[in-house]
Amino acid sequence: MYKSKTILIVDDEPRTRQGLKNMLDAWSGGSLEIQTADNGKDALLILEHSPVHLLITDIRMPEITGLNLVQLLKSSSLSFKPAVILISGYAEFDYAHQGIQLGVVDYLLKPIRKERLIHAVEQALGVHEERAKMSKMQRIVDSKLMEASEDLEVRSEPIQVALRYVQEHLDQNFGLREVAEYVHLNPSYFSALFKEQMQVTFIEYVTRTRVQKSKELLLQTRLSVAEIAERVGYQTTKYFNKVFKEYEGHSPGSYRKSSLSDT
């Protein structure tokens, strides 16, 4: 059971609104906070002033429809955005299609059976938790990137250019000689200068950068290990797995599984 979670039910039909609330209250045994609103405007006020983990909204409502509400939510600057389940009395493909485009987790048709509702709610709350983990990881990555950009200020210009080259060509096969030529330095001199200013060799830096980028992709995307290997410049998945394990102590798949479960 998901504890300390808030669900907001938005429907202009009192019987539907109260019926959904009663079903979820009975299922959760009071462990979930269930709020309700009978229109989109009131729902927006609630969303702006308190954290809501799951929004269950009817599509057809006066003034602000359920789809309008989701669109406004998606384009808003709110830092805490809920997962969404759309409900409707009409089996219209366009509604379902628009919902998918907006990232809606599920689309339920009235009358809604209790088992179907609970299954959708469990799935949506799980999606919200996963998105929250991804958002947390992104903030960590953004912080690291900011620190890296600040560090660039104390490097010489050739090294700054070389570091940017590495970041921009990480998915390509390149070596020290190519980058040295790019920054117009003799390879031997570039190698010595790089190690002096970065405290690691050029090859070591590139490898560490590729492993770090692959870790970000493992946690922030659903790309396969093979796709990630290609995106960080490894021509074979086997070699990527070997390098990753040398640096992290376990395989990319194990890293993804353990990190997401521990976050």
Side-chain angles (χ1 to χ4, degrees):
M1 182 62 63
Y2 295 91
K3 297 181 179 179
S4 304
K5 302 289 185 182
T6 299
I7 298 176
L8 173 61
I9 301 170
V10 189
D11 197 309
D12 59 335
E13 298 177 0
R15 289 182 62 184
T16 300
R17 191 170 65 247
Q18 191 60 44
L20 293 175
K21 184 179 187 304
N22 291 343
M23 280 191 281
L24 292 178
D25 276 332
W27 169 65
S28 68
S31 63
L32 294 172
E33 181 181 351
I34 316 294
Q35 299 187 36
T36 62
D38 60 9
N39 62 80
K41 286 185 177 179
D42 287 348
L44 281 175
L45 287 174
I46 294 173
L47 290 162
E48 288 171 357
H49 292 92
S50 59
V52 172
H53 301 83
L54 172 59
L55 170 66
I56 303 175
T57 180
D58 187 27
I59 289 181
R60 294 195 176 187
M61 295 187 296
E63 295 187 50
I64 299 178
T65 68
L67 285 173
N68 291 154
L69 180 59
V70 178
Q71 288 169 333
L72 289 169
L73 195 60
K74 187 177 180 68
S75 61
S76 74
S77 59
L78 291 176
S79 59
F80 197 94
K81 296 182 181 180
V84 180
I85 294 174
L86 290 176
I87 58 177
S88 175
Y90 307 88
E92 297 189 28
F93 173 78
D94 284 347
Y95 286 160
H97 181 65
Q98 289 180 62
I100 291 171
Q101 290 183 317
L102 291 169
V104 169
V105 177
D106 212 335
Y107 178 83
L108 305 180
L109 290 176
K110 300 176 183 178
I112 303 169
R113 292 182 295 107
K114 181 178 179 181
E115 296 78 11
R116 183 73 179 88
L117 174 67
I118 291 172
H119 175 76
V121 167
E122 287 182 321
Q123 181 185 27
L125 289 175
V127 167
H128 185 272
E129 284 194 352
E130 184 174 338
R131 288 175 180 171
K133 290 176 183 177
M134 295 299 185
S135 179
K136 181 180 178 181
M137 290 304 303
Q138 185 60 53
R139 289 195 297 271
I140 293 172
V141 170
D142 289 343
S143 175
K144 289 181 178 178
L145 289 175
M146 185 176 292
E147 290 174 6
S149 65
E150 291 172 352
D151 287 344
L152 281 175
E153 297 175 5
V154 300
R155 316 293 184 204
S156 66
E157 184 177 350
I159 298 304
Q160 290 186 43
V161 174
L163 295 178
R164 284 194 292 269
Y165 183 96
V166 170
Q167 292 291 343
E168 293 169 3
H169 298 79
L170 208 58
D171 61 333
Q172 300 173 24
N173 184 24
F174 60 83
L176 183 146
R177 183 173 294 277
E178 290 92 334
V179 180
E181 290 177 357
Y182 183 79
V183 299
H184 308 294
L185 291 178
N186 173 279
S188 297
Y189 177 71
F190 171 70
S191 177
L193 182 66
F194 192 95
K195 186 171 183 180
E196 177 187 337
Q197 295 193 11
M198 297 301 297
Q199 306 302 309
V200 293
T201 66
F202 176 78
I203 298 302
E204 176 73 7
Y205 174 80
V206 172
T207 304
R208 288 181 181 274
T209 303
R210 283 181 164 148
V211 170
Q212 180 60 40
K213 181 63 177 179
S214 69
K215 288 165 65 178
E216 294 166 14
L217 292 172
L218 285 165
L219 297 180
Q220 296 171 29
T221 75
R222 294 183 182 275
L223 293 172
S224 68
V225 172
E227 290 172 316
I228 291 173
E230 185 177 349
R231 289 201 180 194
V232 295
Y234 289 99
Q235 296 180 335
T236 68
T237 306
K238 182 178 180 180
Y239 185 62
F240 168 62
N241 284 333
K242 178 178 180 293
V243 173
F244 191 96
K245 192 167 185 178
E246 286 177 357
Y247 278 79
E248 297 299 321
H250 38 78
S251 69
S254 297
Y255 173 81
R256 169 181 268 169
K257 184 176 180 180
S258 63
S259 295
L260 289 179
S261 63
D262 293 341
T263 306

